[in-house]
Amino acid sequence: MVIGQSGSSANMDVAAAGNTEVVRAQLKLLESLGQTDSIDDILITLTTQYDILRLLGEHPSMFIYLTMDKSKSNLALARYKVAECEAQLVL
């Protein structure tokens, strides 16, 4: 479920629901493997865009979802800024 959104993506609810399944699958895999690490973020690269899923440390069932145009983006800076947003987020 999308709590907030900025930008013009009309399909954000669909994308968020689909990415929720990606996060659940990765968390389940880590559990199955007995991993004690936690996920910081998940990067999905498409032909024309980057998607960053940043899990919230205190609430791992929630995540920040950022999608951006590959040709206009700085991936390293975007990951840094998403982590910064997470640190400032109050739930």
Side-chain angles (χ1 to χ4, degrees):
M1 181 167 124
V2 176
I3 295 174
Q5 169 181 341
S6 178
S8 60
S9 178
N11 296 318
M12 187 57 73
D13 287 327
V14 174
N19 285 315
T20 297
E21 293 305 315
V22 170
V23 170
R24 284 182 182 152
Q26 188 63 43
L27 289 171
K28 186 175 180 180
L29 175 62
L30 289 177
E31 184 180 333
S32 296
L33 295 173
Q35 291 285 330
T36 57
D37 281 342
S38 59
I39 299 169
D40 290 331
D41 55 40
I42 298 171
L43 171 64
I44 301 170
T45 58
L46 303 173
T47 306
T48 60
Q49 75 183 40
Y50 294 123
D51 291 350
I52 298 175
L53 311 174
R54 176 79 184 188
L55 279 67
L56 304 183
E58 297 295 317
H59 304 277
S61 63
M62 299 176 75
F63 60 91
I64 297 170
Y65 171 48
L66 173 67
T67 183
M68 50 198 165
D69 186 317
K70 231 178 179 179
S71 67
K72 300 175 184 176
S73 304
N74 179 323
L75 182 57
L77 182 58
R79 289 185 69 219
Y80 176 80
K81 289 294 189 177
V82 170
E84 194 175 77
C85 287
E86 179 204 1
Q88 296 175 3
L89 190 62
V90 177
L91 296 175

